[in-house]
Amino acid sequence: MSWRNEEQGIVWIRGNEVKYGTMGKEIKILFGQAIRSEQEAREFYASLAGGIRNLLLAERLFFLASEESKHEDFLRRLFVQKFKEEPFIPDKTPVPSPRYVPGEKTPISDLLKGAMDAERASEEFYLNLAKSLSGEESILLEYLAMMERSHFHILEAEREIAMRFEDYEVVNPLFHIGA
């Protein structure tokens, strides 16, 4: 879960402390972390989509990868508009990202659960960042948070399907053609 301590300038997101400040260097750092998070999410979805045989699920994952790319572009444009400079993108971000290692035998339902958790954390991150800003910028970040929520629900539906049919796809290869 998340909470915010105005006096200490800390946003708590699922066990990670993220410092923030009003319109200062900390906001710039948070934007960079958000951009990194979107990059990692895009890479996860594209990698996972390329590693599964279920064409319908792969299509949804490629869609999510595309959405994350759009979010990255949006955040970059918002940053440049606000600060009149290019953002610094760190190597790591406190926003949790799902992990996929091609070739691992992790059940797809577990991978989707990890992605769901990451989408929920991203939603919380954007809502907290929106509270640090005002006006149109705040509204745009709240909108982005709602987009992350919609991704969560897409993944939730796919996970329910995966949990029901994971065993079935092992014994019926036609399941993977997307029909």
Side-chain angles (χ1 to χ4, degrees), residues 5-124:
N5 183 323
E6 299 285 342
E7 294 169 6
Q8 295 178 359
I10 295 173
V11 177
W12 183 262
I13 302 174
R14 296 199 187 267
N16 297 304
E17 281 189 16
V18 180
K19 297 185 184 293
Y20 73 93
T22 308
M23 304 306 160
K25 183 179 178 184
E26 292 83 7
I27 291 292
K28 291 179 180 182
I29 291 169
L30 290 174
F31 264 93
Q33 291 171 339
I35 292 167
R36 169 60 66 206
S37 175
E38 296 296 341
Q39 291 171 339
E40 290 176 359
R42 180 192 68 237
E43 291 165 6
F44 169 79
Y45 292 129
S47 177
L48 184 58
I52 62 173
R53 296 181 296 172
N54 181 323
L55 297 180
L56 294 175
L57 178 56
E59 184 178 294
R60 284 209 175 71
L61 293 170
F62 280 127
F63 166 76
L64 290 171
S66 171
E67 288 290 296
E68 302 299 351
S69 181
K70 292 173 192 172
H71 295 177
E72 177 189 352
D73 292 344
F74 165 76
L75 288 167
R76 284 179 181 276
R77 285 193 315 270
L78 185 59
F79 186 94
V80 169
Q81 176 185 330
K82 176 159 198 54
F83 298 108
K84 310 297 187 236
E85 62 185 79
E86 290 296 319
F88 169 76
I89 313 302
D91 293 333
K92 296 181 180 182
T93 177
V95 181
S97 296
R99 298 283 180 247
Y100 167 66
V101 178
E104 265 189 7
K105 296 292 183 191
T106 306
I108 190 70
S109 60
D110 291 349
L111 293 169
L112 293 173
K113 174 68 169 113
M116 289 167 58
D117 292 343
E119 293 292 350
R120 183 70 77 193
S122 292
E123 176 188 359
E124 293 171 7

